[in-house]
């Protein structure tokens, strides 16, 4: 568990560092061109707003994205269980990252809920091998949980795709389930998409 968390923290740090460097490079390039004697024009000024947009989106994603901390709380509250089947149903490009709609179940069993899954490290790609290898899962599906891909260490934070659909089931849960969900921070929607649809 500690290795998985460390792996995803490093991936998150690389993403933030890379986007910060890109944004600052775009902004500074315009000033460097001006200092080098390049004539002022639309093209030489264009990198400045582009760099500010990169940094703005990065700030929004890091401010609103609380997946690493949420995943750690879940992993310290629930035990990991192996599920043999992971089906990716759809993928959406959102501000806080790519949102995958997934169904995680054991082969031969039916009725698993559709879950909204986002990569804990803010990487947008679908984890390689997730649908072939199955996954380790911790949590309580009506409240949410964590999915870990064997071999790669990729980690996704999950909550029901339709949060309100499972409201009755959460309310009917016994005291122990509710207490554990509270400890894991899963009694409410952890992430709410800001009112912006697409991101860099």
């Amino acid at each position: 568990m500690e290795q998985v968390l460390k792996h995803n923290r490093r991936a998150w740090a690389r993403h933030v560092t890379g986007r910060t460097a890109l944004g600052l490079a775009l902004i500074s390039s315009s000033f460097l061109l001006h200092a080098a004697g390049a004539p002022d024009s639309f093209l030489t000024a264009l990198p400045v707003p582009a760099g500010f947009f990169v940094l703005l989106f990065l700030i929004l994603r890091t401010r609103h994205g609380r997946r690493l901390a949420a995943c750690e709380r879940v992993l310290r509250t629930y035990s990991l269980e192996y599920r043999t089947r992971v089906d990716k149903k759809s993928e959406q490009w959102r501000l806080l990252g790519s949102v995958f709609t997934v169904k995680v179940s054991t082969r031969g069993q039916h009725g698993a809920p559709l879950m909204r899954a986002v990569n804990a490290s803010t990487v947008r790609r679908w984890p390689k091998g997730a649908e072939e290898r199955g996954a380790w899962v911790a949590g309580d599906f009506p409240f949410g949980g964590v999915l870990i891909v064997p071999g790669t260490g990729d980690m996704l934070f999950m909550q029901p795709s339709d949060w309100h659909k499972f409201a009755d089931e959460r309310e009917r849960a016994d005291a122990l389930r509710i207490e554990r969900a509270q400890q894991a921070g899963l009694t409410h929607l952890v992430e709410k998409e800001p009112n912006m649809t697409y991101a860099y």
Side-chain angles (χ1 to χ4, degrees):
M1 184 177 72
E2 295 297 336
Q3 290 178 343
V4 169
L5 289 169
K6 186 176 181 180
H7 166 76
N8 283 273
R9 288 191 193 104
R10 283 200 301 260
W12 180 87
R14 285 196 300 269
H15 174 83
V16 171
T17 301
R19 289 296 187 271
T20 301
L22 175 62
L24 293 176
L26 287 169
I27 293 170
S28 61
S29 64
S30 181
F31 295 101
L32 291 174
L33 287 171
H34 180 76
D40 291 332
S41 69
F42 172 77
L43 291 177
T44 56
L46 186 60
V48 174
F52 275 117
F53 273 115
V54 170
L55 295 177
L56 173 62
F57 284 131
L58 177 63
I59 290 168
L60 286 171
R61 291 183 70 189
T62 54
R63 178 182 176 187
H64 289 276
R66 302 180 180 91
R67 297 168 213 153
L68 278 171
C71 288
E72 186 169 359
R73 288 185 69 177
V74 171
L75 291 173
R76 299 200 185 285
T77 305
Y78 295 95
S79 299
L80 285 166
E81 299 177 1
Y82 182 69
R83 299 296 181 99
T84 58
R85 186 166 186 167
V86 178
D87 294 322
K88 185 182 78 166
K89 301 297 185 180
S90 65
E91 178 179 346
Q92 291 180 302
W93 188 267
R94 298 291 186 182
L95 176 62
L96 296 183
S98 293
V99 177
F100 306 103
T101 301
V102 300
K103 183 177 283 191
V104 185
S105 60
T106 299
R107 294 190 188 280
Q109 295 182 3
H110 303 283
L114 290 175
M115 304 293 285
R116 176 187 188 272
V118 286
N119 201 307
S121 66
T122 71
V123 174
R124 288 189 176 274
R125 71 175 184 276
W126 173 248
K128 186 178 180 180
E131 293 178 280
E132 291 79 26
R133 301 190 189 112
W136 290 97
V137 175
D140 187 341
F141 280 173
F143 295 93
V146 170
L147 181 150
I148 298 173
V149 180
T152 67
D154 289 319
M155 182 168 63
L156 288 86
F157 178 75
M158 302 186 299
Q159 287 194 289
S161 182
D162 187 343
W163 178 256
H164 300 292
K165 179 180 178 180
F166 292 90
D168 288 342
E169 187 170 346
R170 288 190 295 270
E171 291 173 3
R172 291 196 307 267
D174 59 51
L176 179 60
R177 285 180 66 191
I178 293 174
E179 182 182 356
R180 294 185 76 187
Q182 288 172 340
Q183 290 175 357
L186 295 175
T187 53
H188 61 280
L189 275 173
V190 174
E191 285 194 346
K192 294 181 181 178
E193 190 74 14
N195 192 23
M196 298 173 69
T197 304
Y198 296 100
Y200 167 81

PDB file of all heavy atoms in Angstrom, residues 20 34 57 67 121 127 140 150 196:
ATOM      1  N   THR A  20       4.032  23.134 -14.597  1.00  0.00           N
ATOM      2  CA  THR A  20       4.551  24.414 -14.113  1.00  0.00           C
ATOM      3  C   THR A  20       5.687  24.897 -15.006  1.00  0.00           C
ATOM      4  O   THR A  20       5.743  26.074 -15.398  1.00  0.00           O
ATOM      5  CB  THR A  20       5.046  24.283 -12.667  1.00  0.00           C
ATOM      6  OG1 THR A  20       3.969  23.855 -11.826  1.00  0.00           O
ATOM      7  CG2 THR A  20       5.584  25.612 -12.147  1.00  0.00           C
ATOM      8  N   HIS A  34      11.422  39.385 -26.928  1.00  0.00           N
ATOM      9  CA  HIS A  34      11.437  40.856 -26.935  1.00  0.00           C
ATOM     10  C   HIS A  34      12.822  41.382 -26.572  1.00  0.00           C
ATOM     11  O   HIS A  34      13.324  42.329 -27.192  1.00  0.00           O
ATOM     12  CB  HIS A  34      10.394  41.378 -25.944  1.00  0.00           C
ATOM     13  CG  HIS A  34      10.336  42.870 -25.882  1.00  0.00           C
ATOM     14  ND1 HIS A  34       9.747  43.638 -26.860  1.00  0.00           N
ATOM     15  CD2 HIS A  34      10.819  43.746 -24.937  1.00  0.00           C
ATOM     16  CE1 HIS A  34       9.859  44.913 -26.530  1.00  0.00           C
ATOM     17  NE2 HIS A  34      10.500  45.003 -25.372  1.00  0.00           N
ATOM     18  N   PHE A  57      -5.194  26.272 -15.255  1.00  0.00           N
ATOM     19  CA  PHE A  57      -5.800  24.943 -15.212  1.00  0.00           C
ATOM     20  C   PHE A  57      -5.086  24.042 -14.212  1.00  0.00           C
ATOM     21  O   PHE A  57      -5.710  23.235 -13.529  1.00  0.00           O
ATOM     22  CB  PHE A  57      -5.798  24.300 -16.597  1.00  0.00           C
ATOM     23  CG  PHE A  57      -6.847  24.866 -17.513  1.00  0.00           C
ATOM     24  CD1 PHE A  57      -6.517  25.265 -18.803  1.00  0.00           C
ATOM     25  CD2 PHE A  57      -8.163  24.993 -17.100  1.00  0.00           C
ATOM     26  CE1 PHE A  57      -7.484  25.779 -19.655  1.00  0.00           C
ATOM     27  CE2 PHE A  57      -9.134  25.506 -17.941  1.00  0.00           C
ATOM     28  CZ  PHE A  57      -8.796  25.904 -19.220  1.00  0.00           C
ATOM     29  N   ARG A  67      -7.662  13.616  -4.636  1.00  0.00           N
ATOM     30  CA  ARG A  67      -7.750  12.165  -4.764  1.00  0.00           C
ATOM     31  C   ARG A  67      -6.707  11.421  -3.952  1.00  0.00           C
ATOM     32  O   ARG A  67      -7.009  10.371  -3.389  1.00  0.00           O
ATOM     33  CB  ARG A  67      -7.599  11.775  -6.233  1.00  0.00           C
ATOM     34  CG  ARG A  67      -8.703  12.312  -7.086  1.00  0.00           C
ATOM     35  CD  ARG A  67      -8.371  12.150  -8.545  1.00  0.00           C
ATOM     36  NE  ARG A  67      -8.934  13.259  -9.274  1.00  0.00           N
ATOM     37  CZ  ARG A  67      -8.440  13.708 -10.404  1.00  0.00           C
ATOM     38  NH1 ARG A  67      -7.377  13.159 -10.915  1.00  0.00           N
ATOM     39  NH2 ARG A  67      -9.007  14.709 -11.021  1.00  0.00           N
ATOM     40  N   SER A 121      -3.248  10.239  -9.547  1.00  0.00           N
ATOM     41  CA  SER A 121      -2.060  11.032  -9.834  1.00  0.00           C
ATOM     42  C   SER A 121      -2.322  12.147 -10.843  1.00  0.00           C
ATOM     43  O   SER A 121      -1.381  12.831 -11.245  1.00  0.00           O
ATOM     44  CB  SER A 121      -0.947  10.127 -10.359  1.00  0.00           C
ATOM     45  OG  SER A 121      -1.305   9.590 -11.614  1.00  0.00           O
ATOM     46  N   PRO A 127      -5.318   3.194 -17.147  1.00  0.00           N
ATOM     47  CA  PRO A 127      -4.192   2.340 -16.746  1.00  0.00           C
ATOM     48  C   PRO A 127      -4.042   1.118 -17.641  1.00  0.00           C
ATOM     49  O   PRO A 127      -5.003   0.395 -17.888  1.00  0.00           O
ATOM     50  CB  PRO A 127      -4.561   1.920 -15.314  1.00  0.00           C
ATOM     51  CG  PRO A 127      -5.505   2.955 -14.843  1.00  0.00           C
ATOM     52  CD  PRO A 127      -6.263   3.399 -16.058  1.00  0.00           C
ATOM     53  N   ASP A 140     -16.459   0.621  -0.120  1.00  0.00           N
ATOM     54  CA  ASP A 140     -17.849   0.178  -0.035  1.00  0.00           C
ATOM     55  C   ASP A 140     -18.564   0.877  -1.186  1.00  0.00           C
ATOM     56  O   ASP A 140     -18.781   2.094  -1.144  1.00  0.00           O
ATOM     57  CB  ASP A 140     -18.430   0.592   1.321  1.00  0.00           C
ATOM     58  CG  ASP A 140     -19.815   0.027   1.586  1.00  0.00           C
ATOM     59  OD1 ASP A 140     -20.488  -0.371   0.615  1.00  0.00           O
ATOM     60  OD2 ASP A 140     -20.230  -0.009   2.753  1.00  0.00           O
ATOM     61  N   PRO A 150      -2.904  -4.136 -10.589  1.00  0.00           N
ATOM     62  CA  PRO A 150      -1.725  -4.952 -10.286  1.00  0.00           C
ATOM     63  C   PRO A 150      -0.602  -4.704 -11.286  1.00  0.00           C
ATOM     64  O   PRO A 150      -0.840  -4.512 -12.475  1.00  0.00           O
ATOM     65  CB  PRO A 150      -2.243  -6.396 -10.406  1.00  0.00           C
ATOM     66  CG  PRO A 150      -3.721  -6.293 -10.277  1.00  0.00           C
ATOM     67  CD  PRO A 150      -4.091  -4.956 -10.850  1.00  0.00           C
ATOM     68  N   MET A 196     -16.654  24.148 -15.540  1.00  0.00           N
ATOM     69  CA  MET A 196     -15.874  24.260 -16.765  1.00  0.00           C
ATOM     70  C   MET A 196     -15.778  22.851 -17.315  1.00  0.00           C
ATOM     71  O   MET A 196     -15.489  21.912 -16.577  1.00  0.00           O
ATOM     72  CB  MET A 196     -14.467  24.810 -16.491  1.00  0.00           C
ATOM     73  CG  MET A 196     -14.477  26.226 -15.899  1.00  0.00           C
ATOM     74  SD  MET A 196     -12.823  26.738 -15.402  1.00  0.00           S
ATOM     75  CE  MET A 196     -12.030  26.900 -16.992  1.00  0.00           C
TER      76      MET A 196
END
